[in-house]
Amino acid sequence: MNSLEGSQATVIVDGKISNPFVKSRGVRQGDDLSATLFILVFHKALKPPELSNTILSRLTQILGYANDILTIARSIPAIEAMCAEISREAGRVGLVINPEKTK
């Protein structure tokens, strides 16, 4: 609560900065709590990883750090299927994948 209490934000509209307004929900971008919450929610959305295997013995693998994930697969169809599953399961817990940031 200490990092959120009294938090204010501004937005830029048509090149002009708005007056500050109080934020009553969410966490600040880049806040340590933001990455922690993302990891907790994302882990809940996906099946627990198979820790004993690597991409050498599996068709697909997901790696994560902070609020970024990397998907690795041996074929295009496998990565397409994995991305569809990630998007579906992430949506189930309220996460949205930004296509503009996904390359």
Side-chain angles (χ1 to χ4, degrees):
M1 286 302 291
N2 286 341
S3 84
L4 301 177
E5 195 170 309
S7 179
Q8 293 186 349
T10 59
V11 293
I12 299 175
V13 179
D14 293 327
K16 297 179 182 172
I17 299 174
S18 72
N19 292 327
F21 56 92
V22 175
K23 289 180 55 179
S24 58
R25 296 179 5 175
V27 295
R28 295 181 201 160
Q29 185 172 352
D31 190 298
D32 292 341
L33 185 57
S34 177
T36 302
L37 290 173
F38 174 80
I39 291 167
L40 291 171
V41 172
F42 191 71
H43 181 73
K44 172 110 173 114
L46 298 177
K47 299 174 210 160
E50 296 175 36
L51 299 176
S52 61
N53 296 329
T54 68
I55 193 63
L56 299 175
S57 60
R58 294 177 31 206
L59 185 61
T60 61
Q61 188 165 358
I62 300 172
L63 306 168
Y65 178 76
N67 63 349
D68 292 318
I69 62 166
L70 170 67
T71 55
I72 302 171
R74 292 191 198 183
S75 69
I76 298 292
I79 200 135
E80 288 172 343
M82 184 170 53
C83 288
E85 180 182 358
I86 289 170
S87 182
R88 182 179 59 253
E89 293 302 314
R92 193 173 54 82
V93 294
L95 297 175
V96 177
I97 295 175
N98 183 343
E100 296 300 314
K101 294 181 176 181
T102 305
K103 304 289 180 202

